Amino acid sequence: VQLVESGGGLVQPGGSLRLSCAASGFTFSSYDMSWYHQAPGKERELVAAISRAGVTTNYADSVKGRFTISRDDAKNTVYLQMNSLKPEDTAVYYCNAKRWRFGMTYDYWGQGTQVTVSS
């Protein structure tokens, strides 16, 4: 199982970034996908989530209206479009895949990609 994030970097306040998470080794379309972030000294927090087939999406209040999560099951990839970035968005962003089946939880994480918002 692999989740590989990409697209992070340094951006000025008000700028945009698009994160990608390429999945392999499991049936991507059967999993709910999420993006989390973790700033230095803080706990990992949910940023956005998308259900199987993209039926539902959820966002942290801090990113509503600025971030958009999407998925392409044909490419086994989940995306996070981040617009109007703020310095407080600076964090390591992690991709997560989760599925519940027959009483078991299947939970996979990527290695993270750094996003820094600074002038």
Side-chain angles (χ1 to χ4, degrees):
V1 172
Q2 266 197 319
L3 294 172
V4 180
E5 300 99 334
S6 61
L10 173 64
V11 63
Q12 292 187 344
S16 298
L17 284 175
R18 188 194 195 203
L19 305 183
S20 299
C21 172
S24 61
F26 63 98
T27 307
F28 179 80
S29 60
S30 296
Y31 282 69
D32 296 329
M33 300 299 298
S34 302
W35 287 96
Y36 287 73
H37 72 192
Q38 187 168 20
K42 295 188 176 181
E43 294 187 352
R44 193 172 295 189
E45 298 177 332
L46 178 68
V47 175
I50 186 167
S51 65
R52 291 176 294 171
V55 174
T56 59
T57 57
N58 290 290
Y59 297 91
D61 287 343
S62 60
V63 307
K64 283 181 181 176
R66 300 189 297 122
F67 290 11
T68 303
I69 189 171
S70 61
R71 65 189 295 161
D72 185 338
D73 288 353
K75 295 182 178 181
N76 288 353
T77 301
V78 62
Y79 304 97
L80 185 67
Q81 178 66 45
M82 305 187 295
N83 298 329
S84 302
L85 282 160
K86 303 175 181 180
E88 51 263 43
D89 295 319
T90 296
V92 178
Y93 283 71
Y94 297 92
C95 176
N96 174 259
K98 189 171 292 182
R99 181 186 185 186
W100 298 266
R101 190 167 188 248
F102 301 136
M104 297 283 291
T105 299
Y106 300 86
D107 193 9
Y108 306 127
W109 292 90
Q111 83 290 348
T113 186
Q114 177 70 46
V115 171
T116 302
V117 185
S118 175
S119 55

